[in-house]
């Protein structure tokens, strides 16, 4: 950490003195800095010559000499309170009388470190994340005695190094580590209460929540001893948490993760990381993994430790999550979070799992998240008026909700025309990047409205079938991805509507089927064509008219994801939002190439793919994607 921070300070134009206990250690640090600068230069991220930056870094074994007249001190030694205090006493003596005295501690209270000094107001937390050169966030910690001027100077210094900042009050673990500990606590709870294996926890974290690493894999990667020492430091200062006995046991056995070659997982050799092969996620554990962290953020906001927007920034830039914890909460539903916390409290008897008063009050006020139009964040919502469907626009998603619940959302002529109209309107709206089709109430759609069959001649029946085909083909080849959220029965034409979508996410209680054969008919909305492309047993379903449960439909390859009834919407939003973050032009091109490829030979399909691939090189989205990659940030695609 120390040499990385020194490198950043030198890159930003400062004269830097680095101090350690021996010349050998300092020489190693200089070599590491030079290697890192060379990498930055070769990637185009460093404008100056390497040697020019290196000339501003001065190794010094004598601490008084290194501190002499300095105007900004950053301490980055091990988490030893007395050692840190000794350094700050020296800094108070030898550095400039107005120097900022910053500590890079990740767990020890800033107020405790500065308590032995005369000028306590100069002590502040400046928590970098490892590796400092690459990680974009600095957590600035305002101790009880830290002056506002010192906090501002620290923020300015971090920004001069090219870093984003969040400012938090001095509580054990500050913000980022407290949230990481809550996520780790939840993983330990699931494993040690027998609800899941650590591999299942990691699979769910990656697949369901989109975490870059699983909970236990990340613990291995950063070092179990480091995580355990932070855990002990903050719990000793009042942070209540579910005890993670598995981590304690591994540390006592010297199994520290990647650095020792084994921890929760086995690695090729000490210090050599290789991602383990994780099983496909079969359990939906996301609400458990997120709920304690949501409770913690709620508490910290209510206590004025951090603001809502800075909390979200801290989760994204400090933990590397695809979205903030509060955004996860809004997607899952604050009522679901509250019930999960109550379940964990009852299961463990630990009071700290009790839902925070802020969370409880929001649920009582009906602020449940996206599904209610607002929770921790407000969500823009717009509705279009139709007679048989409801169309909602909640950027980046657009919803088409079949709305004939008294008729089990049966599809009549008016509904098929309105779906067609809604698709055109949603496709034209730039703020809508993914479309979701679902049913009002407990049924997706029981199929075509049989009461209209009596007026149909054979010719008009064929025309009606063709109209179904036109609309369902439009869905299949729409420029925007379409998700079918199957919340109950999806039969006949209802299933055919779902089959035309790009993804099908179903409740465990859902049932699907093509019952037309029982009426002396065959599917008329594409069922004979799309089922045959999805499942080898599609013909069996058509010829028998048999209904199948969601789990069996998933095994047959017809349903993509099966989840609990109360989690269908959250799962849809997770997938929809993940797609919506990507370039709309690339998404539309990928969908078109994939769909055409299904219907033609590989030569024609590959030719189309090459053409679209080349065409995308001319877009601003491509330029933004490459720039964001080089700058190690999240791209902002505009569809241009």
């Amino acid at each position: 950490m120390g040499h990385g921070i020194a490198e950043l300070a030198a890159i930003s134009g400062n004269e830097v003195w680095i101090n350690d206990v021996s010349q050998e250690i300092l020489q190693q640090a200089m070599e590491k800095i030079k290697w890192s600068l060379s990498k930055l230069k070769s990637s185009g991220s460093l404008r100056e010559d390497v040697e020019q930056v290196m000339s501003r870094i001065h190794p010094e074994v004598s601490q008084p000499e290194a501190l002499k007249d300095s105007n900004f001190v950053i301490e980055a030694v091990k988490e030893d309170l007395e050692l840190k205090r000794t350094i700050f006493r020296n800094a108070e003596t030898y550095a400039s009388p107005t120097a900022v005295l910053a500590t890079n501690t990740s767990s020890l209270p800033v107020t405790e470190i500065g308590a032995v000094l005369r000028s306590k107001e100069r002590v502040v937390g400046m928590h970098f994340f490892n590796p400092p050169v690459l990680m974009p966030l600095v957590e600035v910690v305002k101790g009880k005695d830290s002056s506002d001027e010192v906090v501002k100077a620290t923020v300015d210094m971090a920004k001069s190094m090219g870093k984003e900042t969040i400012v938090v009050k001095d509580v054990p673990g500050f913000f980022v580590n407290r949230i990481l500990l809550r996520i780790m606590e939840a993983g330990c709870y699931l494993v040690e209460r027998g609800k899941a294996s650590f591999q299942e926890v990691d699979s769910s974290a990656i697949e369901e929540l989109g975490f870059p690493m699983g909970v236990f894999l990340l613990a291995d990667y950063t070092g179990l001893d480091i995580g355990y020492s932070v855990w002990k430091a903050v719990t000793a200062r009042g942070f209540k948490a579910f005890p993670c006995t598995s981590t304690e046991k591994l540390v006592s056995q010297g199994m520290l993760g990647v650095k020792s070659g084994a921890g929760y997982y086995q690695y090729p050799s000490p210090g050599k990381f290789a991602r383990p092969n994780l099983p496909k996620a079969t359990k939906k554990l996301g609400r458990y993994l997120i709920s304690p962290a949501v409770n913690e953020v709620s508490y910290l906001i209510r206590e004025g430790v951090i603001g809502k927007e800075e909390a979200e920034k801290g989760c994204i830039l400090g933990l590397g999550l695809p979205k903030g914890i509060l955004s996860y909460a809004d997607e899952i539903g604050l009522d679901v979070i509250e019930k999960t916390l109550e379940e964990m409290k009852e299961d463990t008897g630990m009071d700290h799992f009790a839902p925070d008063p802020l969370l409880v009050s929001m649920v009582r006020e009906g602020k449940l998240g996206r599904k209610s139009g607002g929770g921790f964040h407000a969500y823009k919502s717009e509705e279009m008026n139709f007679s048989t469907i409801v169309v909602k626009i909640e950027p980046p998603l657009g919803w088409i909700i079949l709305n004939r619940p008294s008729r089990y959302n049966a599809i009549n002529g008016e509904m098929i025309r309105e779906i067609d109209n809604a698709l055109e309107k949603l496709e034209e709206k730039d703020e809508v990047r993914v479309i979701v089709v679902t049913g009002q109430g407990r049924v997706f759609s029981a199929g075509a409205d049989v009461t209209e069959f009596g007026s149909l001649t054979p010719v008009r029946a064929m025309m009606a079938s063709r109209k179904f085909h036109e609309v369902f083909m439009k869905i299949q080849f729409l420029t925007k991805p379409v998700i079918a959220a199957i919340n109950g029965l999806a039969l006949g034409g209802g299933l055919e509507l779902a089959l035309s979508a790009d993804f099908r996410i179903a409740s465990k209680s859902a049932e699907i089927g093509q019952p037309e054969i029982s009426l002396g008919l065959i599917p008329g909305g594409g069922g004979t064509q799309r089922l045959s492309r999805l499942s080898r047993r599609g013909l069996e379903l058509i010829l028998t008219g048999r209904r199948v449960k969601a789990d069996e439909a998933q095994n047959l390859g017809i349903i993509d994801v099966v989840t609990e009834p109360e989690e269908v919407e959250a799962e849809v939003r997770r997938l929809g939002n993940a797609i919506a973050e990507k370039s709309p032009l690339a998404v539309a091109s990928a969908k078109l190439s994939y769909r055409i490829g299904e219907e033609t030979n590989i030569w024609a399909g590959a030719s189309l793919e090459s053409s679209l691939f080349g065409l995308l090189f001319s877009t601003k989205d491509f330029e933004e994607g490459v720039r964001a990659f080089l700058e190690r940030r999240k791209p902002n695609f505009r569809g241009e």
Side-chain angles (χ1 to χ4, degrees):
M1 291 291 282
H3 67 76
I5 296 169
E7 179 182 350
L8 281 172
I11 290 172
S12 59
N14 297 286
E15 292 291 325
V16 182
W17 277 260
I18 58 173
N19 167 249
D20 214 311
V21 296
S22 73
Q23 192 64 47
E24 181 183 359
I25 292 175
L26 288 171
Q27 184 57 40
Q28 290 173 357
M30 294 293 283
E31 290 172 0
K32 290 176 181 177
I33 292 171
K34 187 172 184 178
W35 175 86
S36 176
L37 290 171
S38 300
K39 289 291 184 182
L40 293 176
K41 184 68 176 178
S42 63
S43 69
S45 301
L46 182 67
R47 295 181 181 179
E48 292 184 277
D49 291 334
V50 172
E51 293 303 329
Q52 192 172 355
V53 177
M54 291 292 296
S55 70
R56 294 197 288 268
I57 304 175
H58 314 284
E60 178 57 67
V61 175
S62 169
Q63 196 167 101
E65 283 297 317
L67 288 166
K68 185 179 179 181
D69 298 330
S70 60
N71 55 29
F72 204 104
V73 178
I74 304 175
E75 164 274 311
V77 301
K78 65 181 181 179
E79 297 292 80
D80 181 318
L81 179 61
E82 290 308 316
L83 176 60
K84 291 178 184 291
R85 283 177 167 177
T86 297
I87 291 171
F88 279 107
R89 285 192 188 98
N90 289 338
E92 189 175 41
T93 301
Y94 297 107
S96 165
T98 59
V100 171
L101 308 180
T103 173
N104 183 52
T105 182
S106 59
S107 60
L108 297 176
V110 171
T111 304
E112 285 187 31
I113 294 171
V116 297
L117 302 187
R118 298 183 303 277
S119 51
K120 301 177 180 63
E121 73 283 354
R122 290 198 284 154
V123 180
V124 66
M126 193 178 188
H127 181 207
F128 290 81
F129 295 85
N130 205 16
V133 176
L134 300 181
M135 293 296 284
L137 185 72
V138 170
E139 195 172 25
V140 178
V141 184
K142 188 179 190 301
K144 182 180 177 181
D145 303 306
S146 307
S147 71
D148 291 340
E149 293 76 18
V150 163
V151 171
K152 182 180 184 304
T154 307
V155 168
D156 290 344
M157 175 60 79
K159 288 182 177 178
S160 75
M161 295 177 177
K163 299 302 179 185
E164 295 281 344
T165 63
I166 59 173
V167 177
V168 303
K169 289 184 179 178
D170 190 16
V171 294
F174 315 137
F175 175 74
V176 174
N177 274 340
R178 284 179 81 103
I179 303 311
L180 180 58
L181 288 175
R182 287 299 180 208
I183 294 171
M184 186 67 193
E185 171 191 38
C188 289
Y189 161 80
L190 289 167
V191 171
E192 298 189 17
R193 302 300 286 188
K195 297 180 180 292
S197 67
F198 66 85
Q199 295 96 335
E200 288 173 325
V201 168
D202 280 1
S203 292
S204 183
I206 294 168
E207 293 182 31
E208 185 182 354
L209 299 177
F211 284 13
M213 271 191 176
V215 176
F216 296 100
L217 182 58
L218 177 62
D220 271 2
Y221 188 80
T222 56
L224 296 181
D225 53 334
I226 294 174
Y228 185 56
S229 67
V230 173
W231 186 289
K232 288 197 297 182
V234 297
T235 53
R237 290 168 172 81
F239 182 85
K240 297 179 180 178
F242 183 87
C244 201
T245 57
S246 59
T247 299
E248 184 177 9
K249 182 178 179 181
L250 288 169
V251 171
S252 69
Q253 296 172 344
M255 299 174 67
L256 308 180
V258 176
K259 67 172 75 175
S260 67
Y264 283 99
Y265 298 94
Q266 294 287 329
Y267 301 96
S269 61
K272 186 172 182 180
F273 176 73
R275 277 186 176 267
N277 293 319
L278 292 172
K280 185 174 176 58
T282 56
K283 296 180 179 179
K284 296 295 182 182
L285 306 172
R287 65 187 178 98
Y288 292 103
L289 292 173
I290 290 296
S291 291
V294 174
N295 214 32
E296 185 66 35
V297 178
S298 300
Y299 163 74
L300 294 174
I301 290 173
R302 184 171 55 81
E303 290 293 314
V305 174
I306 194 171
K308 182 175 66 177
E309 297 308 320
E310 290 208 317
E312 296 288 78
K313 184 198 285 189
C315 293
I316 296 168
L317 299 182
L319 295 176
L321 302 183
K323 59 178 73 72
I325 289 295
L326 301 181
S327 296
Y328 277 112
D330 280 354
E331 289 179 13
I332 293 171
L334 272 58
D335 51 338
V336 176
I337 298 292
E338 182 185 39
K339 289 177 182 176
T340 303
L341 289 166
E342 289 170 347
E343 177 189 336
M344 295 172 81
K345 177 177 180 287
E346 183 178 352
D347 186 34
T348 62
M350 301 184 76
D351 289 339
H352 76 277
F353 283 124
D356 185 80
L358 174 60
L359 184 61
V360 172
S361 65
M362 292 178 70
V363 172
R364 286 177 180 170
E365 293 168 12
K367 298 177 180 177
L368 308 181
R370 281 191 175 273
K371 61 188 172 187
S372 66
F376 285 105
H377 301 291
Y379 299 95
K380 177 184 174 184
S381 181
E382 174 188 342
E383 288 197 13
M384 296 182 190
N385 294 320
F386 292 89
S387 61
T388 66
I389 62 175
V390 174
V391 177
K392 290 183 179 180
I393 298 173
E394 298 175 350
L397 305 184
W399 297 75
I400 298 176
I401 305 169
L402 311 184
N403 190 32
R404 299 184 72 205
S406 63
R407 296 290 302 166
Y408 301 103
N409 295 327
I411 305 173
N412 60 9
E414 180 67 12
M415 180 182 282
I416 204 72
R417 285 188 292 273
E418 290 188 342
I419 293 173
D420 191 11
N421 190 2
L423 288 169
E424 291 187 2
K425 291 181 181 297
L426 291 175
E427 190 171 33
E428 291 172 357
K429 289 191 173 290
D430 292 338
E431 68 269 30
V432 173
R433 296 194 174 182
V434 177
I435 296 170
V436 183
V437 181
T438 191
Q440 192 75 271
R442 301 174 64 84
V443 175
F444 180 78
S445 173
D449 192 339
V450 180
T451 61
E452 292 190 344
F453 284 10
S455 62
L456 295 180
T457 64
V459 171
R460 288 193 175 277
M462 180 179 66
M463 292 168 62
S465 172
R466 291 288 296 273
K467 187 60 181 177
F468 271 64
H469 286 164
E470 288 173 15
V471 175
F472 295 169
M473 289 285 279
K474 178 178 285 189
I475 291 173
Q476 184 174 349
F477 290 94
L478 203 71
T479 58
K480 297 177 178 179
V482 179
I483 302 171
I486 305 173
N487 50 319
L489 291 177
L491 305 176
L495 176 58
E496 290 168 311
L497 169 59
L499 293 175
S500 68
D502 301 297
F503 308 97
R504 284 161 292 283
I505 297 174
S507 161
K508 282 186 176 179
S509 60
E511 290 185 34
I512 68 161
Q514 298 283 180
E516 292 89 348
I517 200 80
S518 300
L519 299 177
L521 294 172
I522 65 171
T528 61
Q529 302 304 300
R530 293 191 175 89
L531 269 179
S532 65
R533 286 162 169 76
L534 290 171
S535 176
R536 295 180 62 184
R537 293 178 59 190
L539 182 60
E540 175 198 336
L541 299 185
I542 291 171
L543 296 183
T544 62
R546 181 170 70 91
R547 294 185 188 181
V548 298
K549 297 281 189 181
D551 285 336
E552 183 180 354
Q554 184 180 32
N555 291 334
L556 292 174
I558 301 169
I559 300 295
D560 298 301
V561 177
V562 176
T563 188
E564 297 293 338
E566 66 272 15
E567 295 177 1
V568 171
E569 183 175 332
E571 184 68 23
V572 167
R573 290 187 184 278
R574 182 196 66 77
L575 175 60
N577 289 329
I579 295 171
E581 293 174 350
K582 307 303 186 291
S583 163
L585 296 172
V587 167
S589 298
K591 176 177 174 177
L592 176 62
S593 184
Y594 191 95
R595 291 299 180 209
I596 293 294
E598 290 178 318
E599 307 301 330
T600 189
N601 64 73
I602 193 168
W603 300 106
S607 177
L608 174 63
E609 179 183 86
S610 295
S611 299
L612 294 172
F613 179 78
L615 185 63
L616 289 171
F617 268 73
S618 67
T619 66
K620 291 181 180 179
D621 275 1
F622 169 68
E623 294 177 6
E624 166 64 8
V626 172
R627 190 179 302 113
F629 176 80
L630 293 175
E631 295 173 1
R632 299 179 183 275
R633 61 173 174 83
K634 192 174 182 179
N636 180 25
F637 293 119
R638 299 181 181 276
E640 298 174 351

